[in-house]
Every structure is written in C-alpha cells, then in structure tokens.
Amino acid sequence: MILELLPEVGVAALRLGMSADDAVGAARELGFAPSDPDCGDVPGQVLCEHAESQTEFNLGFTKGALTDIHVYRFRVEDADVAVVLDGFDVFRTPSEELLERLEERGHTVEQNDDGVDTLPDLRVILSNESSFDYPMDEEGDPIYFDYALVTSVDFRGPRGD
C-alpha cells in the first residue's frame, strides 16, 4: 500500500476539506477501520487503524471539515506500506537524509532539537519522537521519522512568511 502525502491536498484518497462521513468512507476504502464508526455530526478527531500493518491515521476536523491528517508509522517493520512525500519514503528513509533531499528539491526545512521538523511551505510536519520501539542508531536516537502531519492550517506565521 502506498500512502502519498499530498501537501495542501491530503493523504492518498483523504482530501482536506472533506466531510467527516466522506473522510471516514475514504479511510475505510484504504483498509483502515475508524475508532468510532458512528463518529457523529461534527467530530473533533477520528482515529483509523490498518490492522495488518498497525499503521494509523488521526483525522482532525474543524467545523465538520477535515483539516489535519496525522499519519503514524507502521508498527510492523516488514509491513507492505510506504508513506511517500515528493517521491521519498518518509518512514524508511533516514530522517536526516530525507530532510537533506527535500532541501535539495527546494523545500524549506525548519529543524528543531525536539525531533519535530517543519516544512512550512508544504504545511507538513515530520517527527521522530514517539514512545514506540522503532529502529534506533548506536546512540539510541530514532533513525526514521515516525509521524507526519498534512494540514490545511498555515503555520508559517501571521504574514505567511
């Protein structure tokens, strides 16, 4: 399964701006099960899990429209899942290498020491600071990102810069 992160658009068939019903339906078509199949009229968030790979989405809604798609790394290491951004596998390319390659393609990357890196022009956040037991390097630092956020929210500042 390939889940493409589409900046300012969505993830795979999930589209920012979708209604909760449409978003939950699209997640189901991708093979994800919503945590609350009866999510109500205006949910705040809906967690969707792919049982086989243990990959999760957290769908965030504002006023009934999908505004945030949080994608969590699969917990089954040999899962047949690729989460792709600009042609790169986000959860299998070492995080430092991924950021370098994205910068080489002209994307602005804002790194911080907390393991949360921002691609403000794309409205994407990548992180590698989860509590799960993912692959680590010799110093005990995560090798790969384990979280990606695609959002419709502009977090570049009040003037968009």
Side-chain angles (χ1 to χ4, degrees), residues 7-30:
E8 299 189 63
V9 174
V11 175
L14 295 159
R15 296 292 183 253
L16 297 170
M18 284 180 135
S19 70
D21 287 341
D22 289 345
V24 168
R28 282 189 176 121
E29 286 180 25
L30 290 169

Side-chain angles (χ1 to χ4, degrees), residues 32-96:
F32 286 76
S35 57
D36 182 2
D38 232 0
C39 58
D41 293 337
V42 185
Q45 296 186 11
V46 175
L47 181 66
C48 299
E49 183 178 9
H50 186 264
E52 186 178 321
S53 66
Q54 293 182 12
T55 303
E56 294 178 344
F57 289 134
N58 191 1
L59 307 176
F61 298 90
T62 302
K63 297 181 181 176
L66 182 61
T67 54
D68 304 299
I69 305 167
H70 308 255
V71 183
Y72 299 92
R73 189 177 194 272
F74 42 85
R75 290 190 218 147
V76 176
E77 281 304 312
D78 62 349
D80 187 21
V81 175
V83 176
V84 178
L85 174 62
D86 204 2
F88 300 111
D89 189 329
V90 173
F91 297 149
R92 287 198 174 94
T93 304
S95 54
E96 289 303 316

Side-chain angles (χ1 to χ4, degrees), residues 61-143:
F61 298 90
T62 302
K63 297 181 181 176
L66 182 61
T67 54
D68 304 299
I69 305 167
H70 308 255
V71 183
Y72 299 92
R73 189 177 194 272
F74 42 85
R75 290 190 218 147
V76 176
E77 281 304 312
D78 62 349
D80 187 21
V81 175
V83 176
V84 178
L85 174 62
D86 204 2
F88 300 111
D89 189 329
V90 173
F91 297 149
R92 287 198 174 94
T93 304
S95 54
E96 289 303 316
E97 179 183 338
L98 177 64
L99 294 177
E100 287 173 15
R101 289 187 170 190
L102 290 168
E103 280 183 316
E104 288 170 1
R105 293 213 174 155
H107 302 297
T108 301
V109 174
E110 296 176 359
Q111 293 181 286
N112 72 27
D113 295 333
D114 297 327
V116 177
D117 301 308
T118 305
L119 302 160
D121 297 338
L122 300 178
R123 297 183 185 182
V124 171
I125 294 175
L126 303 171
S127 176
N128 60 5
E129 291 294 315
S130 85
S131 60
F132 293 109
D133 243 351
Y134 293 124
M136 303 284 186
D137 64 17
E138 319 65 64
E139 287 126 29
D141 294 321
I143 297 171

